[in-house]
Amino acid sequence: MSLRNCKRCGKLFDFQGHSVCQTCLVKDTDDFAKIWEYLSQNPSAAVLELSRATGVDPVVINRFRREGRLVIDPKKGEKLFCASCGKQINEGRFCSDCANQLRMEMLAANNELAMQAEVKMKGKVHTMDSLKKRR
Ligand SMILES: [Zn+2]
Ligand SMILES: [Zn+2]
């Protein structure tokens, strides 16, 4: 017998091939049925929409996905685009390129701000917003 922590309630239980305890297995099955039913009618539903429609915690939905029981195709679902270059992405707000770029810019901006404070030079630093508006 091997004990594990239930992925749902955190209690120790006798592991029998499921990641949750007996009590939670019932809830899991129930939740899964709800999600499955909703997904069969709305194949493009994203996690948040699913959660709202079925009342199932997004944490649970995401666990189903991690466990490979549920496949939600982000390309068909809520389309996400990089907020900077517009490239389609799977999660987050920026594609990895832009995320890196932004991190660099933030670092640079921090340096620049520090310098600015020293020499009191104005009008050289553009905020992201003003940059976006000029495009
Ligand atoms: Zn449990
Ligand atoms: Zn991008």
Side-chain angles (χ1 to χ4, degrees), residues 2-132:
S2 68
L3 287 178
R4 289 207 185 182
N5 283 100
C6 170
K7 283 274 196 300
R8 198 170 165 130
C9 69
K11 273 195 306 211
L12 274 178
F13 72 108
D14 181 13
F15 182 66
Q16 287 168 338
H18 295 285
S19 60
V20 294
C21 69
Q22 287 300 315
T23 322
C24 293
L25 189 59
V26 179
K27 292 186 206 154
D28 249 26
T29 312
D30 209 45
D31 284 352
F32 192 76
K34 277 189 244 168
I35 295 168
W36 195 248
E37 197 190 318
Y38 188 79
L39 261 188
S40 63
Q41 274 149 36
N42 308 273
S44 64
V47 174
L48 274 183
E49 184 192 340
L50 265 176
S51 168
R52 248 180 265 130
T54 60
V56 178
D57 199 313
V59 174
V60 175
I61 302 178
N62 278 322
R63 177 162 50 79
F64 287 155
R65 291 175 71 189
R66 262 204 315 279
E67 290 170 355
R69 292 163 73 182
L70 203 64
V71 178
I72 299 174
D73 190 345
K75 286 192 269 330
K76 281 190 289 173
E78 230 169 84
K79 282 203 174 60
L80 286 173
F81 298 98
C82 172
S84 179
C85 71
K87 198 160 79 182
Q88 198 170 323
I89 50 174
N90 290 338
E91 54 185 10
R93 288 196 54 207
F94 301 103
C95 67
S96 51
D97 289 346
C98 292
N100 285 334
Q101 175 82 23
L102 273 173
R103 217 169 293 139
M104 300 298 287
E105 275 173 22
M106 293 248 285
L107 282 175
N110 277 341
N111 285 338
E112 212 164 329
L113 277 176
M115 286 195 324
Q116 211 185 11
E118 266 176 44
V119 288
K120 292 210 163 65
M121 202 168 62
K122 279 186 183 159
K124 266 225 147 183
V125 180
H126 302 285
T127 63
M128 285 305 290
D129 273 341
S130 71
L131 274 178
K132 239 180 263 161

